[in-house]
Amino acid sequence: MTQPQIRRRGGDAPFVDVHSPAELLARLYALRSGEAPPGLGALAAFAALRGLDAALDTLEAALRDGAHLLVVGDYDADGATGTALAVRGLRALGAARVSYLIPSRFDFGYGLSPAVAEAAHALGPDLLITVDNGISSVEGVARARSLGLAVLVTDHHLPGERLPEAAAIVNPNQPGCDFPSKDLAGVGVVFYLLMALRARLRERGWFGAGRAEPNLATLLDLVALGTVADVVTLDRNNRILVEQGLRRIRAGHCGPGVRALLRVAGRDPMRASATDLAFAAAPRLNAAGRLEDMSVGVECLLSDDAERANALAQQLDAINRRRREIEGEMKAQAETAVQALDLAEEGLPAALCLYGADWHQGVSGIVAARIRERYHRPVIAFADGGDGLLRGSARSIDGLHVRDAIDRVDRAEPGLIARFGGHAMAAGLSLRAEAFEPFRARFAAVVEEMLEGVASGPELVSDGPLPARLLTLETAETLRLGGPWGKGFPEPRFDGEFEVLQARLVGERHLKLRVAPPEGGSIEAIGFDLAEQLTLAHGRVRLAYRLDVNDYRGRRSPQLILESVQPI
């Protein structure tokens, strides 16, 4: 594993004059050119969303007609939370009938395809509302229209050259949209649409006479979870949404489903952070979409009964455990394949394309991410799609827009790729089995060309050394709850010199240390999946770490979460 280069965001001594956790938090905000997120009143106005009036006209008419609304969601955590939000919100606003459909990734693939439109039509709806998909579903929307179904598209993905001919499209990234926050997740787009619909219905006298106006803030736990899970940039707008959702979760004002997902993962909802949403709740939701049916996750989020939500969360937890087992087996095979490539090609290529005949396509994206982290290369992990095609999940590194790289391959060799789509850091594609080797070679060449001049090797950005006086439980608690941290507003990371007092392995894969800072005292440290760095952990070392809270059998103490161990 290549050791990262550590670059300090704050210089060599940014906290030398800081003496309290509150001062530290303020300094960290300043280093990120940010601030503590303000309240909901500071959210960007929904009026700037292109297509909003047409969407509100469509929804208002549907509500007044008592129409059957069918939400068509995606099979990831953003899609699941967005679907649950749409169903809950539309019901609260007075829709007569709202149901949902989450197409299986194995039977239908991503988005509103013609086949999904036909499956939706069989359920007898009057209006389809896409969540976290639809902006590229030109053929699917056309098929729905031919079946007599109107379609309202809500999405946040980048559009293609053509937009679907839907009744309305709400997507901050569609051409001509002036909405300032382009980084809304799919669930965020739905929340904005619901806020706008409530305002429209209020103006038109919809509420009253036995129909109460709902408080949509009660649904912010879903918005926070989906936003964090989709790893969108936490710009000011998204930080407000996530922070407000976390406040409700900590105060006990969240749905039984979110509470159950946290508890089944061993996290305390009353102390929930964005990290808990990202690494505890979200993976259990995603596991259902990866291995089985995301409807289990949506039902968990829709349940108002704590006992049923807990049972569904337990089911999701079991699916996630199985996902981890599959991931471990696939990762070991992928490691072997990479080592064989290294030997055969006298050095690894600029990009890695890996294939396993028995790999699970729902887990291939996680494996690609793990191999990328280890070798600091863009990785595409392919699995058999069962239809004569290989399905690949791509994960990229900073400096490479992987969807654009795949597009370059497609333009250079038309017909090599059956279909593809995605973002800068993640993408998906399908190709014929016989096209794997030609694609692999062409993709590596394209990536090498695109990365020319880009610094090679992993880089770790640190806020700088943390004085020993701040290595306390109070500081750890302040940092944990001081975010929300995430993409674009990174969680505080520090580096500094320590003396290793003890070093051992726990659970075979994790590195456990007790270290002493130069000023004296000692603190526990753990490096997850850093077992191979045990040989480096002796004498004086430079550690890169996050300061967190270790809650063990009710005893809370500060600990370092290691990201790098480098001998001095």
Side-chain angles (χ1 to χ4, degrees):
M1 182 175 182
T2 305
Q3 287 285 7
Q5 293 291 319
I6 297 176
R7 176 170 63 84
R8 286 178 171 172
R9 176 188 289 111
D12 289 336
F15 312 119
V16 66
D17 59 339
V18 172
H19 294 275
S20 73
E23 289 179 82
L24 174 64
L25 189 62
R27 187 69 55 86
L28 291 166
Y29 284 154
L31 289 172
R32 286 154 180 74
S33 301
E35 59 182 354
L40 287 172
L43 283 173
F46 52 70
L49 282 165
R50 181 179 176 86
L52 187 61
D53 286 341
L56 296 179
D57 290 344
T58 301
L59 285 172
E60 182 184 1
L63 264 62
R64 293 189 182 279
D65 292 343
H68 175 194
L69 312 180
L70 180 66
V71 178
V72 181
D74 187 20
Y75 43 69
D76 67 0
D78 184 19
T81 53
T83 297
L85 177 68
V87 172
R88 281 187 174 275
L90 289 168
R91 287 174 179 170
L93 289 165
R97 184 182 177 192
V98 187
S99 56
Y100 72 89
L101 171 66
I102 305 288
S104 165
R105 73 190 301 155
F106 310 110
D107 298 333
F108 293 102
Y110 170 77
L112 180 63
S113 64
V116 171
E118 291 167 7
H121 178 258
L123 299 176
D126 301 299
L127 172 66
L128 300 187
I129 304 171
T130 71
V131 170
D132 195 32
N133 73 92
I135 195 65
S136 60
S137 301
V138 175
E139 294 80 6
V141 171
R143 180 56 180 150
R145 291 183 62 199
S146 73
L147 294 168
L149 291 175
V151 181
L152 164 56
V153 170
T154 78
D155 203 349
H156 70 122
H157 295 94
L158 296 173
E161 295 181 0
R162 290 176 57 201
L163 295 178
E165 296 183 7
I169 298 174
V170 180
N171 181 340
N173 290 300
Q174 67 177 305
C177 184
D178 295 327
F179 188 74
S181 178
K182 301 297 184 182
D183 293 302
L184 280 178
V187 68
V189 176
V190 174
F191 185 70
Y192 262 84
L193 180 61
L194 292 173
M195 287 196 297
L197 179 58
R198 183 182 60 178
R200 164 71 73 90
L201 294 173
R202 183 190 301 134
E203 292 173 0
R204 304 291 175 88
W206 176 257
F207 302 112
R211 185 184 288 124
E213 179 176 329
N215 178 9
L216 296 178
T218 61
L219 303 176
L220 280 166
D221 58 331
L222 296 173
V223 181
L225 174 53
T227 299
V228 170
D230 215 45
V231 201
V232 293
T233 298
L234 291 188
D235 61 7
R236 185 173 186 265
N237 217 57
N238 280 337
R239 291 189 73 233
I240 294 171
L241 291 172
V242 173
E243 170 64 12
Q244 291 296 315
L246 285 169
R247 284 181 181 273
R248 298 197 64 83
I249 295 171
R250 292 172 194 148
H253 302 315
C254 69
V258 172
R259 186 181 300 112
L261 284 169
L262 288 167
R263 284 180 172 162
V264 80
R267 306 300 174 94
D268 181 1
M270 308 301 282
R271 297 178 181 271
S273 68
T275 300
D276 294 321
L277 298 182
F279 296 105
R284 285 159 176 80
L285 268 184
N286 278 324
R290 292 184 184 282
L291 299 189
E292 295 187 10
D293 181 358
M294 182 50 94
S295 296
V296 179
V298 176
E299 285 300 310
C300 180
L301 298 174
L302 286 176
S303 178
D304 289 319
D305 179 79
E307 186 174 339
R308 183 166 187 266
N310 288 335
L312 290 167
Q314 292 285 350
Q315 186 177 342
L316 290 167
D317 188 57
I319 296 171
N320 190 54
R321 287 197 300 270
R322 192 164 82 251
R323 186 271 301 170
R324 285 200 297 259
E325 292 173 0
I326 295 171
E327 176 193 336
E329 295 171 0
M330 289 173 58
K331 182 184 174 186
Q333 295 173 18
E335 289 276 9
T336 300
V338 173
Q339 291 166 12
L341 276 176
D342 201 6
L343 292 172
E345 301 186 12
E346 298 182 356
L348 292 176
L352 300 173
C353 290
L354 309 171
Y355 166 70
D358 60 349
W359 285 1
H360 196 297
Q361 59 177 294
V363 184
S364 56
I366 303 177
V367 172
R370 299 287 186 261
I371 299 300
R372 171 200 61 188
E373 290 164 6
R374 181 172 177 82
Y375 295 97
H376 193 66
R377 281 169 169 75
V379 178
I380 308 181
F382 286 90
D384 190 342
D387 55 0
L389 295 176
L390 303 183
R391 289 197 170 88
S393 291
R395 297 295 183 270
S396 194
I397 60 175
D398 290 340
L400 179 81
H401 194 301
V402 71
R403 191 265 178 203
D404 287 354
I406 296 171
D407 182 57
R408 286 199 189 187
V409 175
D410 186 55
R411 292 174 184 272
E413 298 194 35
L416 191 65
I417 303 170
R419 54 184 176 269
F420 69 96
H423 304 286
M425 298 302 290
L429 71 158
S430 299
L431 45 80
R432 302 180 314 279
E434 61 270 20
F436 175 74
E437 286 298 336
F439 172 83
R440 174 175 167 266
R442 173 66 74 170
F443 182 67
V446 165
V447 168
E448 185 171 13
E449 178 183 336
M450 292 177 69
L451 287 177
E452 185 177 359
V454 177
S456 61
E459 181 182 73
L460 191 153
V461 180
S462 165
D463 288 293
L466 196 61
R469 64 178 176 273
L470 291 173
L471 294 173
T472 65
L473 178 59
E474 183 185 0
T475 302
E477 292 274 21
T478 299
L479 295 180
R480 181 173 179 76
L481 302 180
W485 315 105
K487 182 181 177 184
F489 205 84
E491 185 174 3
R493 180 191 287 131
F494 309 99
D495 74 281
E497 295 185 9
F498 293 84
E499 185 78 21
V500 177
L501 305 179
Q502 298 173 6
R504 60 189 175 91
L505 296 184
V506 293
E508 298 183 358
R509 297 163 47 199
H510 313 310
L511 178 63
K512 183 75 171 179
L513 306 179
R514 176 165 282 279
V515 297
E519 301 96 318
S522 67
I523 189 170
E524 296 284 339
I526 188 165
F528 296 106
D529 293 317
L530 292 184
E532 63 187 34
Q533 297 197 20
L534 177 63
T535 57
L536 307 177
H538 56 84
R540 288 176 61 237
V541 293
R542 184 183 187 188
L543 303 178
Y545 62 91
R546 293 178 289 110
L547 181 63
D548 203 356
V549 178
N550 181 28
D551 192 341
Y552 182 69
R553 295 180 177 176
R555 179 179 177 271
R556 299 174 66 79
S557 59
Q559 72 172 352
L560 311 184
I561 306 297
L562 302 177
E563 298 189 16
S564 173
V565 178
Q566 300 182 13
I568 296 177

